[in-house]
Amino acid sequence: MGIEMNSLRDPDLSVKIGKIKLKNPVMVASGTFGFGEEYKDFFDIHHLGAIIPKGISLKPMMGNPPPRIFETEGGILNSIGLQNPGFQDFIKEKLPYLRKIKTHLLVNFFGNTQKEYIELAKRFDEVPGISGLEMNISCPNVKQGGIIFCSDPKMTNRLVHAVRKSTKLPLIVKLSPNVTDIALMAKSSEEGGADAVSLVNTFKAIAINIHSRKPELGNVIGGLSGPAIKPIALRMVWEVSQAIKIPVIGMGGIMKAEDAIEFILVGASAIQIGTANLVNPKTGIEVINGIKKYLVENKINRVQKLIGLFKP
Ligand SMILES: Cc1cc2nc3c(=O)[nH]c(=O)nc-3n(C[C@H](O)[C@H](O)[C@H](O)COP(=O)(O)O)c2cc1C
């Protein structure tokens, strides 16, 4: 009885994503938390369930021409264009700090060809201190006329299968919402050997200036994120959770604990915070504390009990 009372006051926040045991379900999303160090003065970032740094490619990338961020009502539109220091500089300059943080490091990566994805997965496999890989498949395949990898279930399946064979690290496939049937893409990833899927990436969108009659972004098209996308992301996470057996990591407009709980209820085993980090850098710790408070108030001793509780 005593033990039960204790666990009601101090609920177990741990969750599992394949082989990875997280101390809580709260991660920070790629591209919105730099390489960790940028946030260290705001809170003890080792409290996070996992950190996912900016997406890494084989070679450094400069990204798109400015302006690259535009604030919309209820969200932001970005066309950073996957700017990053590339594999070598990431290992030399960024990894030493990330490795010291006492939480899981999940490395987000991408390629322009299947060969590049495989090469990167092999290289990361040999690097100590990485708990798993998150593979961003919202990228054009330059070998196939620029068709986006994740827009075709067969291409997704082939890619995931090939990368799966190239690394022993847990593999999370990050899905794009810019598809007709995201559950189909999740299924292709599962069948290809993914250990988990994460969703959603940003929604393709534009913003225009009526005075200049020009686009607000240098690249014209950008990706929409933030609260504006939350209801759609939630619907997608729900559909995907019903379609596959592997764990689902949900994101899209999570600004506070209540939003995170909604994603867990529709079936997410863990969640990621993206745009909110740019608005309030302490969102991560606030969401962790808020989930705990909700569990205590509802007399639930383990967050795992919440996963998929939503039954319409
Ligand atoms: C400025 C910015 C940069 C991003 N960079 C990446 C990236 O490098 N790789 C990736 O997989 N997703 C990237 N994303 C997408 C986010 O990780 C996340 O999937 C998306 O923003 C939705 O979550 P949110 O609404 O909480 O921001 C980026 C998003 C933003 C806003």
Side-chain angles (χ1 to χ4, degrees):
M1 183 65 187
I3 292 166
E4 185 69 5
M5 283 303 287
N6 271 346
S7 67
L8 286 180
R9 253 179 269 132
D10 192 16
D12 177 5
L13 292 187
S14 70
V15 293
K16 277 187 86 176
I17 300 294
K19 281 183 287 186
I20 313 170
K21 187 172 179 193
L22 305 172
K23 55 189 155 202
N24 64 63
V26 180
M27 314 178 178
V28 282
S30 181
T32 65
F33 207 73
F35 293 95
E37 197 159 11
E38 296 87 334
Y39 281 78
K40 72 176 192 312
D41 296 332
F42 293 103
F43 68 99
D44 287 335
I45 57 177
H46 67 263
H47 287 306
L48 292 165
I51 291 181
I52 310 181
K54 179 71 188 163
I56 298 297
S57 50
L58 213 46
K59 296 270 176 293
M61 279 177 62
M62 295 290 288
N64 286 321
R68 310 201 291 185
I69 294 233
F70 180 76
E71 190 171 340
T72 62
E73 280 168 71
I76 59 168
L77 202 51
N78 93 81
S79 61
I80 305 292
L82 298 171
Q83 178 182 4
N84 79 90
F87 178 82
Q88 257 176 5
D89 267 23
F90 171 72
I91 300 294
K92 216 167 113 213
E93 312 286 339
K94 308 293 183 188
L95 193 63
Y97 178 81
L98 284 163
R99 218 184 247 149
K100 279 193 284 182
I101 308 168
K102 291 189 182 63
T103 187
H104 288 291
L105 169 64
L106 304 175
V107 170
N108 181 292
F109 76 105
F110 65 96
N112 294 310
T113 60
Q114 182 161 309
K115 230 171 121 186
E116 276 184 23
Y117 274 100
I118 293 170
E119 176 66 26
L120 267 171
K122 281 187 179 155
R123 289 201 195 181
F124 282 123
D125 202 44
E126 290 160 10
V127 178
I130 297 175
S131 300
L133 298 176
E134 181 180 60
M135 172 162 115
N136 177 6
I137 58 171
S138 309
C139 312
N141 182 347
V142 295
K143 282 272 161 67
Q144 295 216 351
I147 169 170
I148 312 291
F149 279 102
C150 62
S151 61
D152 175 71
K154 285 207 185 80
M155 201 150 85
T156 297
N157 182 274
R158 264 201 309 273
L159 178 66
V160 176
H161 188 71
V163 171
R164 173 67 290 166
K165 284 196 301 188
S166 316
T167 174
K168 290 181 289 301
L169 288 168
L171 183 64
I172 301 163
V173 177
K174 183 164 180 182
L175 303 173
S176 164
N178 302 308
V179 294
T180 316
D181 184 354
I182 197 164
L184 184 63
M185 301 303 167
K187 203 126 190 67
S188 303
S189 305
E190 181 179 46
E191 284 164 7
D195 296 297
V197 294
S198 57
L199 65 144
V200 293
N201 212 316
T202 55
F203 286 78
K204 276 173 78 173
I206 60 169
I208 57 172
N209 182 315
I210 60 163
H211 304 293
S212 63
R213 298 174 195 150
K214 298 257 186 244
E216 296 284 9
L217 293 177
N219 190 54
V220 186
I221 294 178
L224 184 65
S225 61
I229 70 168
K230 197 192 84 179
I232 319 178
L234 204 56
R235 186 263 298 170
M236 290 181 159
V237 169
W238 182 50
E239 283 178 354
V240 165
S241 302
Q242 290 168 294
I244 58 173
K245 294 197 177 66
I246 53 175
V248 176
I249 302 167
M251 81 198 91
I254 297 177
M255 305 302 282
K256 53 190 189 302
E258 288 82 351
D259 301 328
I261 293 164
E262 286 181 51
F263 277 87
I264 296 170
L265 287 173
V266 296
S269 296
I271 59 95
Q272 291 181 19
I273 295 165
T275 302
N277 295 314
L278 312 177
V279 182
N280 167 14
K282 291 185 186 164
T283 306
I285 191 73
E286 289 175 9
V287 169
I288 295 168
N289 291 335
I291 294 175
K292 193 167 167 184
K293 186 164 172 265
Y294 175 86
L295 293 173
V296 172
E297 281 170 5
N298 288 277
K299 300 188 171 50
I300 299 169
N301 62 354
R302 302 172 68 200
V303 73
Q304 286 180 40
K305 289 186 179 166
L306 278 188
I307 302 169
L309 265 193
F310 171 68
K311 292 279 180 288

